[in-house]
Short mmCIF file of all heavy atoms in Angstrom, two decimals:
data_model
loop_
_atom_site.label_atom_id
_atom_site.label_comp_id
_atom_site.label_asym_id
_atom_site.label_seq_id
_atom_site.Cartn_x
_atom_site.Cartn_y
_atom_site.Cartn_z
N ILE A 1 37.74 -147.88 119.08
CA ILE A 1 36.34 -148.30 119.00
C ILE A 1 35.80 -147.88 117.64
O ILE A 1 36.00 -146.75 117.21
CB ILE A 1 35.51 -147.68 120.13
CG1 ILE A 1 35.99 -148.21 121.48
CG2 ILE A 1 34.02 -147.96 119.93
CD1 ILE A 1 35.32 -147.57 122.68
N VAL A 2 35.11 -148.80 116.99
CA VAL A 2 34.48 -148.50 115.71
C VAL A 2 32.99 -148.25 115.98
O VAL A 2 32.29 -149.13 116.47
CB VAL A 2 34.65 -149.67 114.71
CG1 VAL A 2 33.96 -149.35 113.40
CG2 VAL A 2 36.13 -149.97 114.49
N THR A 3 32.55 -147.04 115.69
CA THR A 3 31.16 -146.65 115.93
C THR A 3 30.76 -145.53 114.99
O THR A 3 31.61 -144.77 114.54
CB THR A 3 30.97 -146.18 117.40
OG1 THR A 3 29.60 -145.83 117.61
CG2 THR A 3 31.85 -145.02 117.75
N PHE A 4 29.47 -145.46 114.71
CA PHE A 4 28.96 -144.33 113.94
C PHE A 4 28.46 -143.22 114.86
O PHE A 4 28.03 -142.17 114.40
CB PHE A 4 27.85 -144.76 112.98
CG PHE A 4 28.38 -145.41 111.73
CD1 PHE A 4 28.05 -146.71 111.42
CD2 PHE A 4 29.22 -144.72 110.87
CE1 PHE A 4 28.53 -147.32 110.27
CE2 PHE A 4 29.71 -145.31 109.72
CZ PHE A 4 29.36 -146.63 109.42
N GLU A 5 28.51 -143.45 116.18
CA GLU A 5 28.10 -142.39 117.10
C GLU A 5 29.10 -141.24 117.02
O GLU A 5 30.28 -141.43 116.78
CB GLU A 5 28.06 -142.90 118.55
CG GLU A 5 26.90 -143.80 118.83
CD GLU A 5 26.79 -144.16 120.30
OE1 GLU A 5 27.58 -143.66 121.13
OE2 GLU A 5 25.89 -144.95 120.62
N ARG A 6 28.59 -140.04 117.23
CA ARG A 6 29.43 -138.84 117.26
C ARG A 6 29.35 -138.20 118.63
O ARG A 6 28.36 -138.36 119.34
CB ARG A 6 28.95 -137.83 116.21
CG ARG A 6 29.11 -138.34 114.81
CD ARG A 6 28.58 -137.33 113.84
NE ARG A 6 28.68 -137.88 112.50
CZ ARG A 6 29.24 -137.24 111.49
NH1 ARG A 6 29.71 -136.04 111.66
NH2 ARG A 6 29.31 -137.81 110.32
N GLU A 7 30.41 -137.47 118.98
CA GLU A 7 30.40 -136.76 120.26
C GLU A 7 29.19 -135.83 120.32
O GLU A 7 28.86 -135.17 119.35
CB GLU A 7 31.66 -135.91 120.42
CG GLU A 7 32.90 -136.70 120.71
CD GLU A 7 34.09 -135.79 120.96
OE1 GLU A 7 33.96 -134.83 121.76
OE2 GLU A 7 35.13 -136.03 120.34
N SER A 8 28.57 -135.78 121.49
CA SER A 8 27.44 -134.86 121.66
C SER A 8 27.91 -133.49 122.11
O SER A 8 27.20 -132.51 121.95
CB SER A 8 26.47 -135.42 122.71
OG SER A 8 27.06 -135.35 124.00
N GLY A 9 29.11 -133.44 122.68
CA GLY A 9 29.61 -132.17 123.19
C GLY A 9 28.95 -131.76 124.49
O GLY A 9 29.15 -130.66 124.98
N GLN A 10 28.16 -132.64 125.07
CA GLN A 10 27.40 -132.32 126.27
C GLN A 10 28.16 -132.67 127.56
O GLN A 10 27.69 -132.38 128.64
CB GLN A 10 26.06 -133.06 126.28
CG GLN A 10 25.19 -132.70 125.12
CD GLN A 10 24.83 -131.23 125.11
OE1 GLN A 10 24.49 -130.65 126.11
NE2 GLN A 10 24.94 -130.61 123.95
N PHE A 11 29.29 -133.32 127.43
CA PHE A 11 30.01 -133.75 128.60
C PHE A 11 31.40 -133.15 128.63
O PHE A 11 32.03 -132.98 127.60
CB PHE A 11 30.08 -135.28 128.65
CG PHE A 11 28.72 -135.88 128.75
CD1 PHE A 11 27.98 -136.15 127.62
CD2 PHE A 11 28.16 -136.13 129.98
CE1 PHE A 11 26.70 -136.66 127.70
CE2 PHE A 11 26.88 -136.64 130.08
CZ PHE A 11 26.15 -136.91 128.94
N GLY A 12 31.88 -132.82 129.81
CA GLY A 12 33.20 -132.24 129.95
C GLY A 12 33.45 -131.88 131.40
O GLY A 12 32.73 -132.32 132.29
N TYR A 13 34.45 -131.07 131.63
CA TYR A 13 34.78 -130.66 133.00
C TYR A 13 33.94 -129.46 133.40
O TYR A 13 33.80 -128.51 132.65
CB TYR A 13 36.27 -130.35 133.11
CG TYR A 13 37.10 -131.60 133.01
CD1 TYR A 13 37.62 -132.00 131.78
CD2 TYR A 13 37.34 -132.39 134.12
CE1 TYR A 13 38.37 -133.16 131.68
CE2 TYR A 13 38.08 -133.55 134.02
CZ TYR A 13 38.60 -133.92 132.81
OH TYR A 13 39.32 -135.07 132.70
N ASP A 14 33.40 -129.51 134.62
CA ASP A 14 32.59 -128.39 135.11
C ASP A 14 33.47 -127.41 135.88
O ASP A 14 34.69 -127.56 135.94
CB ASP A 14 31.40 -128.88 135.94
CG ASP A 14 31.81 -129.60 137.23
OD1 ASP A 14 32.97 -129.46 137.66
OD2 ASP A 14 30.96 -130.29 137.80
N VAL A 15 32.86 -126.41 136.51
CA VAL A 15 33.61 -125.37 137.22
C VAL A 15 34.40 -125.92 138.41
O VAL A 15 35.37 -125.31 138.83
CB VAL A 15 32.68 -124.23 137.69
CG1 VAL A 15 32.12 -123.49 136.50
CG2 VAL A 15 31.58 -124.74 138.59
N ASN A 16 34.01 -127.07 138.92
CA ASN A 16 34.74 -127.71 140.03
C ASN A 16 35.79 -128.69 139.52
O ASN A 16 36.34 -129.47 140.28
CB ASN A 16 33.77 -128.44 140.96
CG ASN A 16 32.81 -127.49 141.60
OD1 ASN A 16 33.18 -126.39 142.00
ND2 ASN A 16 31.55 -127.89 141.68
N ASN A 17 36.05 -128.64 138.21
CA ASN A 17 37.00 -129.54 137.56
C ASN A 17 36.61 -131.01 137.71
O ASN A 17 37.45 -131.88 137.76
CB ASN A 17 38.42 -129.30 138.06
CG ASN A 17 39.45 -129.70 137.00
OD1 ASN A 17 39.18 -129.65 135.82
ND2 ASN A 17 40.62 -130.09 137.45
N GLU A 18 35.31 -131.26 137.80
CA GLU A 18 34.80 -132.62 137.85
C GLU A 18 34.18 -132.94 136.50
O GLU A 18 33.46 -132.13 135.93
CB GLU A 18 33.76 -132.77 138.95
CG GLU A 18 34.34 -132.63 140.33
CD GLU A 18 33.29 -132.80 141.41
OE1 GLU A 18 32.22 -133.37 141.13
OE2 GLU A 18 33.55 -132.36 142.53
N TRP A 19 34.44 -134.15 136.00
CA TRP A 19 33.92 -134.52 134.69
C TRP A 19 32.43 -134.82 134.84
O TRP A 19 32.03 -135.60 135.68
CB TRP A 19 34.66 -135.73 134.17
CG TRP A 19 34.48 -135.88 132.73
CD1 TRP A 19 35.07 -135.16 131.75
CD2 TRP A 19 33.64 -136.81 132.07
NE1 TRP A 19 34.66 -135.58 130.53
CE2 TRP A 19 33.78 -136.60 130.69
CE3 TRP A 19 32.80 -137.81 132.50
CZ2 TRP A 19 33.10 -137.35 129.75
CZ3 TRP A 19 32.12 -138.55 131.57
CH2 TRP A 19 32.28 -138.32 130.21
N ASN A 20 31.61 -134.16 134.00
CA ASN A 20 30.20 -134.12 134.30
C ASN A 20 29.39 -133.62 133.12
O ASN A 20 29.92 -133.14 132.14
CB ASN A 20 30.12 -133.15 135.49
CG ASN A 20 28.85 -133.02 136.18
OD1 ASN A 20 27.80 -133.08 135.58
ND2 ASN A 20 28.94 -132.83 137.47
N TRP A 21 28.08 -133.68 133.25
CA TRP A 21 27.13 -133.11 132.28
C TRP A 21 27.28 -131.60 132.30
O TRP A 21 27.28 -130.98 133.36
CB TRP A 21 25.72 -133.52 132.70
CG TRP A 21 24.60 -132.90 131.95
CD1 TRP A 21 23.71 -132.01 132.44
CD2 TRP A 21 24.22 -133.13 130.60
NE1 TRP A 21 22.81 -131.67 131.48
CE2 TRP A 21 23.10 -132.34 130.34
CE3 TRP A 21 24.73 -133.92 129.58
CZ2 TRP A 21 22.47 -132.32 129.11
CZ3 TRP A 21 24.09 -133.90 128.36
CH2 TRP A 21 22.98 -133.12 128.13
N LYS A 22 27.42 -130.97 131.16
CA LYS A 22 27.68 -129.54 131.09
C LYS A 22 26.45 -128.67 131.35
O LYS A 22 26.58 -127.49 131.60
CB LYS A 22 28.25 -129.17 129.73
CG LYS A 22 29.68 -129.56 129.53
CD LYS A 22 30.14 -129.03 128.18
CE LYS A 22 31.55 -129.39 127.88
NZ LYS A 22 31.95 -128.93 126.57
N HIS A 23 25.26 -129.23 131.23
CA HIS A 23 24.02 -128.44 131.40
C HIS A 23 24.01 -127.23 130.48
O HIS A 23 23.71 -126.13 130.90
CB HIS A 23 23.84 -127.99 132.85
CG HIS A 23 23.72 -129.12 133.80
ND1 HIS A 23 22.60 -129.91 133.87
CD2 HIS A 23 24.58 -129.61 134.71
CE1 HIS A 23 22.79 -130.84 134.80
NE2 HIS A 23 23.97 -130.68 135.31
N ASN A 24 24.37 -127.45 129.23
CA ASN A 24 24.45 -126.31 128.31
C ASN A 24 23.25 -126.24 127.37
O ASN A 24 23.35 -125.74 126.26
CB ASN A 24 25.76 -126.31 127.53
CG ASN A 24 25.87 -127.52 126.62
OD1 ASN A 24 24.99 -128.36 126.57
ND2 ASN A 24 26.98 -127.62 125.92
N GLY A 25 22.12 -126.72 127.82
CA GLY A 25 20.92 -126.65 127.01
C GLY A 25 20.79 -127.77 126.00
O GLY A 25 19.93 -127.73 125.13
N GLY A 26 21.62 -128.78 126.14
CA GLY A 26 21.58 -129.90 125.20
C GLY A 26 20.44 -130.84 125.49
O GLY A 26 19.59 -130.58 126.33
#
């Protein structure tokens, strides 16, 4: 994919190993 968007770093695996919003103050 060609895009100028960058990763926000706000998404990933949570403590239940489910891919999700990290809720890290972003």
